[in-house]
Amino acid sequence: MTLPTLGVRDILTSHEGRVAQTARQMAEAGWPWNAASVTIPSVGWRTEIDGTKRLLSDPSLPPLTVNPWIVPVINGQARLQKPPLPYWVTAVCFKLFGVNEWAARLVPALLGALLTLIVADLARMLISRRMAIWAAAVWGSSYFIFDEFRKCMVDPYVAFLSIAAVWAGIRGMQNDECRMTNNEKSVSSSFCIYRSSFIIYFYLFLGMGFLAKGPVVFVPAIAGLIPAWMLQRRGGRRMSYRPHLLGVLIFLLIALPWYAIVLHRVPNAWDLWRYESLGGFGEKNEKPQPLWFYLPQLLLIALPWTPVWVAGIVASARGFRRRGGALLWQAIIVLVFSLITQKKNAYLLPATAAQTLLVIQGLRLWFAAARRTGRTNPPGRLIATAAIVFSVAIAVGFPPFAHFSENRRSFSAVGQEMRFRDLIASRYVPIHTESLPSDAAFYLPLKPPADPTFTEWQVVIDDRRNAVNDSSRVFASLFAGRTVIAVHRVELKSSPVDFRWKVFEVRLAPTPSPSWRGPG
């Protein structure tokens, strides 16, 4: 379902573009051990007029020469808002399979497919063995899961690693894995070793999650361990603290070295990480959404199983002491992320495992009702048929929808047209990508910083709200402190006149400042 049509949809959003473009620049530099160094401006901590805080170029500081695999770079500037694991994985795929949309989304799609087995095993442990296959069917036929795990973004990595950490933690806490034998007073050592290994896996996944999105990974991981704690409360032996000590050591060895190296190399990096991780609880007010934003979104995220999901919530609430783990898991994630001012549906991707378990609770309620009436087979056949139909409809129907509808917003056609015209024929004439959405920069050639003595520029501008000309807000922000001599609009065949993308040739007077640096 997931792999064949990964490249049908273009890179359409900056969320995908930032990962893909940063990884592209890593791959362009070479492998990590022999990567070509890149010179980028030093960054300073600034507050914009709207209150947004950024690490922006600071000409007063000496430039930095960095390895793009250590200090990620996008469009000639450091990209430190997120840790590097998704960039590293995508860059390796680019080196192996070439720079394209399919390679960019390969690993997230594989992670989503692998989670089918993990979610099924969670259903086996937390609900019943017979419901594991239904959990796999629901997971594979949910539109939100299919869509989000086919995007080159950070969220699929965080979702997989946090859900895998929860799975490993629950496996490690199972009462029957380290148990007393009938005829012995000692605990079976083989069972204890088996159980301890999953505790180590828990910290391994957690460390990789920290390297994917920082401390955010702790929220879904801790929330998901509540079902494990509820299982442990039913009895059984306590586990040795030694696997936890080893696991914490593994976590630290995975999670901290990159942060330490970057802190040593890049000034003000700590301010950015603190702002990105904790600023959402008050300081960070970028595109704020109301507190209740996720409540109606949950109904859409659960499609096409929304009615059964609601029934599962009711069933879990009625038997909360025995079946409330999944409900708590999803509720805690939604509650914590609701307190963050910036909200996106993709942030709830780590809650989809709990959501699937709630759907299974609803199905189980339906099957129980059927058994009481003596009709066991019809509900199972109906649900199985529905899961197959939903899966096929999503897998077959989504690619043409993405190609014919969503790709209209893509910069791909514009970038291809520019390649075949004389707009970028000269490597000495740069494309100004610093102010572009990263999805557009992904379809333009990578270029080194420009010599500031050159006066001829080509500029691509995304400005859907204002008419673009040499006196518009966009030009004023792009070329603050520069003298615009002439502006010429380039007519494109690949983009409607009033559509998203506009291309201009701009002639600028040479800059007198030796500290100014051109765009990437």
Side-chain angles (χ1 to χ4, degrees), residues 427-503:
R427 65 185 181 90
Y428 300 106
V429 182
I431 302 291
H432 193 289
T433 60
E434 188 171 320
S435 65
L436 271 179
S438 301
D439 53 314
F442 181 75
Y443 291 104
L444 292 173
L446 294 174
K447 288 185 175 292
D451 187 327
T453 61
F454 287 133
T455 60
E456 196 73 32
W457 286 52
Q458 279 86 35
V459 183
V460 183
I461 294 173
D462 171 21
D463 187 36
R464 283 160 285 183
R465 293 177 295 177
N466 301 309
V468 180
N469 52 56
D470 56 349
S471 60
S472 67
R473 175 184 57 82
V474 172
F475 274 88
S477 61
L478 279 178
F479 306 118
R482 304 296 304 279
T483 302
V484 178
I485 299 175
V487 178
H488 172 65
R489 171 75 176 269
V490 179
E491 297 299 330
L492 296 173
K493 297 179 181 179
S494 55
S495 181
V497 175
D498 296 324
F499 200 52
R500 184 179 185 186
W501 305 109
K502 305 170 180 66
V503 177

Coordinates of all heavy atoms in Angstrom, one line a residue, residues 427-503:
R427 N 25.9 30.0 -13.6 CA 26.1 29.7 -12.2 C 26.5 30.9 -11.4 O 26.5 30.8 -10.1 CB 27.2 28.6 -12.1 CG 28.6 29.0 -12.5 CD 29.5 27.8 -12.4 NE 30.9 28.2 -12.7 CZ 31.8 28.6 -11.8 NH1 31.4 28.7 -10.6 NH2 33.0 28.9 -12.2
Y428 N 26.8 32.0 -12.0 CA 27.2 33.2 -11.3 C 26.0 34.0 -10.9 O 26.1 35.0 -10.2 CB 28.2 34.0 -12.1 CG 29.4 33.3 -12.4 CD1 29.7 32.9 -13.7 CD2 30.4 33.1 -11.4 CE1 30.8 32.2 -14.0 CE2 31.5 32.4 -11.7 CZ 31.8 31.9 -13.0 OH 32.9 31.3 -13.3
V429 N 24.8 33.7 -11.4 CA 23.6 34.4 -11.1 C 22.7 33.6 -10.2 O 22.1 32.6 -10.6 CB 22.8 34.8 -12.4 CG1 21.6 35.6 -12.1 CG2 23.8 35.5 -13.4
P430 N 22.6 34.0 -8.9 CA 21.9 33.1 -8.0 C 20.4 33.3 -8.0 O 19.9 34.3 -8.4 CB 22.5 33.6 -6.6 CG 22.8 35.0 -6.9 CD 23.2 35.2 -8.3
I431 N 19.7 32.3 -7.5 CA 18.3 32.3 -7.2 C 18.2 32.7 -5.7 O 18.8 32.1 -4.9 CB 17.6 31.0 -7.4 CG1 17.8 30.6 -8.9 CG2 16.1 31.1 -7.1 CD1 17.1 31.4 -9.9
H432 N 17.4 33.7 -5.4 CA 17.2 34.1 -4.0 C 16.2 33.2 -3.3 O 15.0 33.2 -3.6 CB 16.7 35.5 -3.9 CG 16.8 36.1 -2.6 ND1 16.0 35.8 -1.5 CD2 17.7 37.1 -2.1 CE1 16.4 36.4 -0.4 NE2 17.4 37.2 -0.7
T433 N 16.7 32.3 -2.5 CA 15.9 31.3 -1.9 C 15.7 31.5 -0.4 O 15.0 30.8 0.3 CB 16.5 29.9 -2.0 OG1 17.8 29.8 -1.4 CG2 16.6 29.5 -3.5
E434 N 16.3 32.5 0.2 CA 16.3 32.7 1.6 C 14.9 33.0 2.1 O 14.6 32.6 3.2 CB 17.3 33.9 1.9 CG 17.5 34.1 3.4 CD 18.6 35.1 3.7 OE1 19.6 35.1 3.0 OE2 18.4 35.9 4.6
S435 N 14.1 33.7 1.3 CA 12.7 34.0 1.8 C 11.7 33.1 1.2 O 10.5 33.2 1.5 CB 12.4 35.4 1.3 OG 12.3 35.5 -0.1
L436 N 12.1 32.0 0.5 CA 11.2 31.1 -0.1 C 10.7 30.0 0.9 O 11.5 29.7 1.8 CB 11.9 30.4 -1.3 CG 11.8 31.0 -2.7 CD1 12.5 30.1 -3.6 CD2 10.3 31.1 -3.1
P437 N 9.5 29.5 0.7 CA 9.2 28.3 1.4 C 10.1 27.2 1.0 O 10.6 27.1 -0.2 CB 7.8 28.0 1.0 CG 7.2 29.3 0.5 CD 8.4 30.1 0.0
S438 N 10.5 26.3 1.9 CA 11.5 25.3 1.6 C 11.1 24.3 0.5 O 11.9 23.7 -0.1 CB 11.9 24.6 2.9 OG 12.4 25.5 3.8
D439 N 9.8 24.1 0.3 CA 9.3 23.2 -0.7 C 9.7 23.8 -2.1 O 9.9 23.0 -3.0 CB 7.8 22.9 -0.6 CG 7.0 24.2 -0.6 OD1 7.3 25.1 0.2 OD2 6.0 24.3 -1.3
A440 N 9.7 25.1 -2.2 CA 10.1 25.7 -3.5 C 11.6 25.6 -3.7 O 12.1 25.2 -4.8 CB 9.7 27.2 -3.6
A441 N 12.4 25.8 -2.6 CA 13.8 25.7 -2.7 C 14.3 24.3 -3.1 O 15.3 24.1 -3.8 CB 14.5 26.1 -1.4
F442 N 13.5 23.3 -2.8 CA 13.8 21.9 -3.1 C 13.9 21.7 -4.6 O 14.6 20.8 -5.1 CB 12.8 21.0 -2.5 CG 13.1 19.5 -2.7 CD1 14.1 18.9 -2.0 CD2 12.3 18.8 -3.6 CE1 14.3 17.5 -2.2 CE2 12.6 17.4 -3.8 CZ 13.6 16.8 -3.1
Y443 N 13.1 22.4 -5.4 CA 13.1 22.3 -6.8 C 14.0 23.2 -7.6 O 13.8 23.4 -8.8 CB 11.6 22.4 -7.3 CG 10.8 21.2 -6.8 CD1 9.9 21.4 -5.8 CD2 10.9 20.0 -7.4 CE1 9.1 20.3 -5.4 CE2 10.1 18.9 -7.0 CZ 9.2 19.1 -6.0 OH 8.5 18.0 -5.5
L444 N 14.9 23.9 -6.9 CA 15.8 24.8 -7.5 C 17.2 24.3 -7.3 O 17.5 23.5 -6.3 CB 15.7 26.2 -6.9 CG 14.4 27.0 -7.2 CD1 14.4 28.3 -6.4 CD2 14.3 27.3 -8.7
P445 N 18.2 24.6 -8.2 CA 19.5 24.1 -8.0 C 20.2 24.7 -6.7 O 19.9 25.8 -6.3 CB 20.3 24.7 -9.2 CG 19.2 25.0 -10.2 CD 18.0 25.4 -9.4
L446 N 21.0 23.9 -6.1 CA 21.8 24.3 -5.0 C 22.9 25.2 -5.5 O 23.7 24.8 -6.4 CB 22.4 23.2 -4.2 CG 21.4 22.2 -3.5 CD1 22.1 21.0 -2.9 CD2 20.6 23.0 -2.4
K447 N 23.1 26.4 -4.9 CA 24.1 27.3 -5.4 C 24.9 27.9 -4.2 O 24.3 28.1 -3.1 CB 23.5 28.5 -6.2 CG 23.0 28.0 -7.5 CD 22.5 29.2 -8.3 CE 22.0 28.8 -9.7 NZ 23.2 28.4 -10.5
P448 N 26.1 28.2 -4.4 CA 26.9 28.8 -3.3 C 26.5 30.2 -3.1 O 25.9 30.8 -4.0 CB 28.4 28.7 -3.9 CG 28.2 28.7 -5.4 CD 26.9 28.0 -5.7
P449 N 26.9 30.8 -2.0 CA 26.7 32.2 -1.8 C 27.2 33.1 -2.9 O 28.3 32.8 -3.5 CB 27.4 32.5 -0.5 CG 27.5 31.2 0.2 CD 27.6 30.2 -0.9
A450 N 26.5 34.2 -3.2 CA 26.8 35.0 -4.3 C 27.9 36.0 -3.9 O 28.0 36.5 -2.8 CB 25.6 35.7 -4.9
D451 N 28.7 36.5 -4.9 CA 29.6 37.6 -4.7 C 28.8 38.8 -4.6 O 28.0 39.2 -5.5 CB 30.5 37.7 -5.9 CG 31.6 38.7 -5.7 OD1 31.4 39.7 -5.0 OD2 32.7 38.5 -6.2
P452 N 28.9 39.6 -3.5 CA 28.0 40.8 -3.3 C 28.3 41.9 -4.3 O 27.5 42.9 -4.4 CB 28.4 41.2 -1.9 CG 29.8 40.7 -1.7 CD 29.8 39.4 -2.4
T453 N 29.3 41.8 -5.2 CA 29.6 42.8 -6.2 C 28.7 42.6 -7.4 O 28.5 43.6 -8.2 CB 31.0 42.8 -6.6 OG1 31.3 41.5 -7.2 CG2 31.9 43.0 -5.4
F454 N 28.1 41.4 -7.5 CA 27.2 41.2 -8.7 C 25.9 42.0 -8.5 O 25.4 42.2 -7.4 CB 26.9 39.8 -8.9 CG 28.0 39.0 -9.4 CD1 28.4 37.8 -8.8 CD2 28.8 39.4 -10.5 CE1 29.5 37.0 -9.3 CE2 29.8 38.7 -11.0 CZ 30.2 37.5 -10.4
T455 N 25.4 42.5 -9.6 CA 24.2 43.3 -9.5 C 22.9 42.6 -10.1 O 21.8 43.1 -9.9 CB 24.4 44.6 -10.3 OG1 24.7 44.3 -11.7 CG2 25.5 45.4 -9.7
E456 N 23.1 41.5 -10.8 CA 22.0 40.9 -11.5 C 21.4 39.7 -10.6 O 22.2 38.8 -10.2 CB 22.4 40.3 -12.8 CG 21.3 40.0 -13.8 CD 20.6 41.2 -14.3 OE1 21.3 42.3 -14.5 OE2 19.4 41.2 -14.5
W457 N 20.1 39.7 -10.3 CA 19.5 38.7 -9.5 C 18.3 38.1 -10.2 O 17.6 38.8 -11.0 CB 19.0 39.3 -8.2 CG 20.1 39.6 -7.2 CD1 21.2 40.4 -7.4 CD2 20.1 39.2 -5.8 NE1 21.9 40.5 -6.2 CE2 21.3 39.8 -5.2 CE3 19.3 38.4 -5.0 CZ2 21.6 39.6 -3.9 CZ3 19.6 38.2 -3.7 CH2 20.8 38.8 -3.2
Q458 N 18.0 36.9 -9.9 CA 16.7 36.3 -10.2 C 16.1 36.0 -8.9 O 16.7 35.4 -8.0 CB 16.8 35.1 -11.1 CG 17.0 35.3 -12.6 CD 18.4 35.5 -12.9 OE1 19.3 34.9 -12.3 NE2 18.7 36.4 -13.9
V459 N 14.8 36.4 -8.7 CA 14.2 36.2 -7.4 C 12.8 35.5 -7.6 O 12.1 35.9 -8.5 CB 13.9 37.6 -6.7 CG1 13.3 37.4 -5.4 CG2 15.3 38.3 -6.6
V460 N 12.6 34.5 -6.8 CA 11.3 33.8 -6.9 C 10.6 34.2 -5.6 O 11.1 34.1 -4.5 CB 11.5 32.3 -6.9 CG1 10.1 31.6 -7.0 CG2 12.3 31.9 -8.1
I461 N 9.3 34.6 -5.7 CA 8.6 35.1 -4.5 C 7.3 34.5 -4.4 O 6.5 34.3 -5.4 CB 8.4 36.7 -4.7 CG1 9.8 37.4 -4.6 CG2 7.5 37.2 -3.6 CD1 9.7 38.8 -4.9
D462 N 7.0 34.0 -3.2 CA 5.6 33.5 -2.9 C 4.9 34.6 -2.1 O 5.3 34.9 -0.9 CB 5.8 32.2 -2.0 CG 4.4 31.8 -1.5 OD1 3.4 32.2 -2.1 OD2 4.4 31.0 -0.5
D463 N 3.9 35.2 -2.7 CA 3.2 36.3 -2.0 C 1.8 36.2 -2.4 O 1.4 36.9 -3.3 CB 3.9 37.6 -2.3 CG 3.3 38.7 -1.4 OD1 2.9 38.5 -0.3 OD2 3.1 39.8 -1.9
R464 N 1.0 35.5 -1.7 CA -0.4 35.3 -2.1 C -1.3 36.4 -1.6 O -2.5 36.5 -2.1 CB -0.9 33.9 -1.6 CG -0.4 32.7 -2.4 CD -0.5 31.5 -1.6 NE 0.5 31.4 -0.6 CZ 0.7 30.3 0.2 NH1 -0.1 29.3 0.0 NH2 1.7 30.3 1.1
R465 N -0.9 37.2 -0.7 CA -1.8 38.2 -0.1 C -1.6 39.6 -0.8 O -2.5 40.4 -0.7 CB -1.5 38.3 1.4 CG -1.9 37.1 2.2 CD -1.5 37.2 3.6 NE -0.1 37.3 3.8 CZ 0.5 37.5 5.0 NH1 -0.2 37.7 6.0 NH2 1.8 37.6 5.1
N466 N -0.5 39.9 -1.3 CA -0.2 41.2 -1.9 C 0.2 41.2 -3.3 O 0.8 40.2 -3.8 CB 0.9 41.9 -1.1 CG 0.5 42.1 0.4 OD1 -0.5 42.5 0.8 ND2 1.4 41.6 1.3
A467 N -0.1 42.3 -4.0 CA 0.4 42.4 -5.4 C 1.9 42.7 -5.3 O 2.4 43.5 -4.5 CB -0.3 43.6 -6.1
V468 N 2.7 41.9 -6.0 CA 4.1 42.0 -5.9 C 4.7 43.0 -7.0 O 4.4 42.8 -8.2 CB 4.8 40.6 -6.1 CG1 6.3 40.7 -6.0 CG2 4.2 39.7 -5.1
N469 N 5.4 44.0 -6.5 CA 6.1 44.9 -7.4 C 7.3 45.4 -6.6 O 7.6 45.1 -5.5 CB 5.2 46.0 -7.9 CG 4.5 46.7 -6.8 OD1 5.1 47.2 -5.9 ND2 3.1 46.7 -6.8
D470 N 8.0 46.4 -7.3 CA 9.2 46.8 -6.6 C 9.0 47.7 -5.4 O 9.9 48.1 -4.7 CB 10.1 47.6 -7.6 CG 9.3 48.8 -8.2 OD1 8.1 48.8 -8.1 OD2 10.0 49.6 -8.9
S471 N 7.7 48.0 -5.1 CA 7.4 48.8 -3.9 C 6.6 48.0 -2.9 O 6.1 48.6 -1.9 CB 6.6 50.1 -4.3 OG 5.4 49.8 -4.9
S472 N 6.4 46.7 -3.1 CA 5.6 45.9 -2.2 C 6.3 45.6 -0.9 O 7.6 45.7 -0.8 CB 5.1 44.7 -2.9 OG 6.2 43.8 -3.1
R473 N 5.6 45.0 0.0 CA 6.2 44.7 1.3 C 7.3 43.6 1.1 O 8.3 43.6 1.8 CB 5.1 44.1 2.2 CG 5.6 43.6 3.5 CD 4.4 43.0 4.3 NE 3.7 42.0 3.6 CZ 4.1 40.7 3.5 NH1 5.2 40.3 4.1 NH2 3.4 39.8 2.8
V474 N 7.1 42.7 0.2 CA 8.0 41.6 0.0 C 9.4 42.1 -0.4 O 10.4 41.7 0.1 CB 7.5 40.6 -1.0 CG1 8.5 39.5 -1.3 CG2 6.2 39.9 -0.5
F475 N 9.4 43.0 -1.4 CA 10.7 43.6 -1.8 C 11.3 44.4 -0.7 O 12.5 44.3 -0.6 CB 10.5 44.4 -3.1 CG 10.5 43.6 -4.3 CD1 9.3 43.1 -4.8 CD2 11.7 43.4 -5.0 CE1 9.4 42.3 -6.0 CE2 11.7 42.7 -6.2 CZ 10.6 42.2 -6.7
A476 N 10.5 45.1 0.0 CA 11.1 45.9 1.1 C 11.8 45.0 2.1 O 12.8 45.4 2.7 CB 10.0 46.7 1.8
S477 N 11.2 43.8 2.4 CA 11.8 42.9 3.4 C 13.0 42.2 2.8 O 14.0 41.9 3.5 CB 10.8 41.9 3.9 OG 10.3 41.1 2.9
L478 N 12.9 41.8 1.5 CA 14.0 41.1 0.9 C 15.3 41.9 0.8 O 16.4 41.4 1.0 CB 13.6 40.6 -0.5 CG 12.7 39.3 -0.6 CD1 12.4 39.1 -2.0 CD2 13.5 38.2 0.0
F479 N 15.1 43.1 0.4 CA 16.2 44.0 0.0 C 16.4 45.2 0.9 O 16.7 46.3 0.4 CB 16.1 44.4 -1.5 CG 15.9 43.2 -2.4 CD1 14.8 43.1 -3.2 CD2 16.9 42.2 -2.5 CE1 14.6 42.0 -4.0 CE2 16.7 41.1 -3.3 CZ 15.6 41.0 -4.1
A480 N 16.1 45.0 2.1 CA 16.3 46.1 3.1 C 17.8 46.5 3.1 O 18.7 45.7 3.2 CB 15.9 45.6 4.5
G481 N 18.0 47.8 2.9 CA 19.4 48.3 2.8 C 20.0 48.3 1.5 O 21.2 48.7 1.3
R482 N 19.3 47.7 0.5 CA 19.9 47.6 -0.9 C 19.1 48.6 -1.8 O 17.9 48.9 -1.6 CB 19.7 46.2 -1.4 CG 20.4 45.1 -0.6 CD 21.9 45.3 -0.5 NE 22.5 45.3 -1.8 CZ 22.8 44.2 -2.5 NH1 22.5 43.0 -2.1 NH2 23.4 44.3 -3.7
T483 N 19.7 49.0 -2.9 CA 19.1 49.8 -3.9 C 18.6 49.0 -5.0 O 19.4 48.4 -5.7 CB 20.1 50.9 -4.3 OG1 20.5 51.7 -3.2 CG2 19.4 51.8 -5.3
V484 N 17.3 49.0 -5.3 CA 16.7 48.3 -6.4 C 16.7 49.2 -7.6 O 16.1 50.2 -7.6 CB 15.3 47.8 -6.1 CG1 14.7 47.1 -7.3 CG2 15.3 46.9 -4.9
I485 N 17.5 48.8 -8.6 CA 17.6 49.6 -9.9 C 16.4 49.3 -10.8 O 15.8 50.3 -11.4 CB 18.9 49.4 -10.5 CG1 20.1 49.7 -9.6 CG2 19.0 50.1 -11.9 CD1 21.4 49.4 -10.2
A486 N 16.1 48.1 -11.0 CA 15.0 47.7 -11.9 C 14.4 46.4 -11.6 O 15.1 45.5 -11.0 CB 15.6 47.7 -13.4
V487 N 13.1 46.2 -11.9 CA 12.4 44.9 -11.6 C 11.7 44.5 -12.9 O 11.0 45.3 -13.5 CB 11.4 45.1 -10.5 CG1 10.7 43.8 -10.3 CG2 12.1 45.5 -9.2
H488 N 11.9 43.3 -13.3 CA 11.2 42.8 -14.5 C 10.5 41.5 -14.2 O 11.1 40.5 -13.7 CB 12.3 42.5 -15.6 CG 11.7 41.8 -16.8 ND1 10.7 42.4 -17.6 CD2 12.0 40.6 -17.4 CE1 10.4 41.5 -18.6 NE2 11.1 40.5 -18.4
R489 N 9.2 41.4 -14.5 CA 8.4 40.2 -14.2 C 8.6 39.2 -15.3 O 8.6 39.6 -16.5 CB 6.9 40.6 -14.1 CG 6.0 39.4 -14.1 CD 5.9 38.7 -12.8 NE 5.0 37.7 -12.7 CZ 3.7 37.8 -12.3 NH1 3.3 39.0 -11.9 NH2 2.9 36.8 -12.3
V490 N 9.0 38.0 -15.0 CA 9.2 36.9 -16.0 C 7.9 36.1 -16.1 O 7.4 35.6 -15.1 CB 10.3 36.0 -15.5 CG1 10.5 34.9 -16.5 CG2 11.6 36.8 -15.4
E491 N 7.3 36.1 -17.3 CA 6.1 35.4 -17.5 C 6.4 33.9 -17.6 O 7.3 33.4 -18.3 CB 5.4 35.8 -18.8 CG 4.9 37.3 -18.7 CD 4.0 37.6 -17.6 OE1 3.2 36.6 -17.3 OE2 3.9 38.7 -17.1
L492 N 5.6 33.1 -16.9 CA 5.8 31.6 -16.8 C 4.6 30.9 -17.5 O 3.4 31.3 -17.3 CB 5.9 31.2 -15.3 CG 7.1 31.7 -14.5 CD1 6.9 31.3 -13.1 CD2 8.4 31.2 -15.1
K493 N 4.9 29.9 -18.2 CA 3.8 29.1 -18.8 C 3.3 28.0 -17.8 O 2.2 27.5 -17.9 CB 4.4 28.3 -20.0 CG 4.8 29.3 -21.2 CD 5.3 28.4 -22.3 CE 5.8 29.4 -23.5 NZ 6.3 28.6 -24.6
S494 N 4.1 27.7 -16.8 CA 3.8 26.6 -15.9 C 3.0 27.1 -14.7 O 2.6 26.3 -13.8 CB 5.1 26.0 -15.4 OG 6.0 26.9 -14.9
S495 N 2.8 28.4 -14.5 CA 2.1 28.9 -13.4 C 1.1 30.0 -13.8 O 1.5 30.9 -14.5 CB 3.1 29.5 -12.3 OG 2.4 29.9 -11.2
P496 N -0.2 29.9 -13.4 CA -1.1 31.0 -13.8 C -0.6 32.4 -13.3 O 0.1 32.5 -12.3 CB -2.4 30.6 -13.1 CG -2.2 29.1 -12.9 CD -0.8 28.9 -12.6
V497 N -1.1 33.4 -13.9 CA -0.7 34.8 -13.7 C -0.9 35.1 -12.2 O -0.1 35.7 -11.5 CB -1.4 35.7 -14.6 CG1 -1.0 37.2 -14.2 CG2 -1.0 35.5 -16.0
D498 N -2.1 34.8 -11.7 CA -2.4 35.2 -10.3 C -2.3 34.1 -9.3 O -2.9 34.1 -8.2 CB -3.9 35.7 -10.3 CG -4.1 36.9 -11.1 OD1 -3.1 37.7 -11.1 OD2 -5.1 37.1 -11.7
F499 N -1.5 33.1 -9.7 CA -1.3 31.9 -8.8 C -0.2 32.2 -7.8 O 0.4 33.3 -7.7 CB -1.1 30.6 -9.6 CG -1.4 29.4 -8.8 CD1 -2.6 29.2 -8.2 CD2 -0.5 28.4 -8.8 CE1 -2.9 28.1 -7.5 CE2 -0.7 27.2 -8.1 CZ -1.9 27.0 -7.4
R500 N 0.2 31.1 -7.1 CA 1.1 31.2 -6.0 C 2.5 31.8 -6.3 O 3.1 32.5 -5.6 CB 1.3 29.9 -5.3 CG 2.1 29.8 -4.0 CD 2.1 28.4 -3.5 NE 2.8 28.4 -2.2 CZ 3.0 27.3 -1.5 NH1 2.7 26.1 -2.0 NH2 3.6 27.3 -0.4
W501 N 3.1 31.3 -7.5 CA 4.5 31.5 -7.7 C 4.7 32.6 -8.7 O 4.1 32.6 -9.8 CB 5.2 30.2 -8.2 CG 4.9 29.1 -7.2 CD1 4.1 28.0 -7.4 CD2 5.5 29.0 -5.9 NE1 4.2 27.2 -6.3 CE2 5.0 27.8 -5.4 CE3 6.4 29.8 -5.2 CZ2 5.3 27.4 -4.1 CZ3 6.7 29.3 -3.9 CH2 6.2 28.1 -3.4
K502 N 5.6 33.5 -8.5 CA 6.0 34.6 -9.3 C 7.5 34.7 -9.4 O 8.2 34.6 -8.4 CB 5.4 35.9 -8.8 CG 3.8 35.8 -8.6 CD 3.3 37.1 -7.9 CE 1.8 37.0 -7.6 NZ 1.5 35.9 -6.7
V503 N 8.0 35.0 -10.6 CA 9.4 35.1 -10.8 C 9.8 36.5 -11.3 O 9.1 37.0 -12.2 CB 9.9 34.0 -11.8 CG1 11.4 34.1 -12.1 CG2 9.6 32.6 -11.3

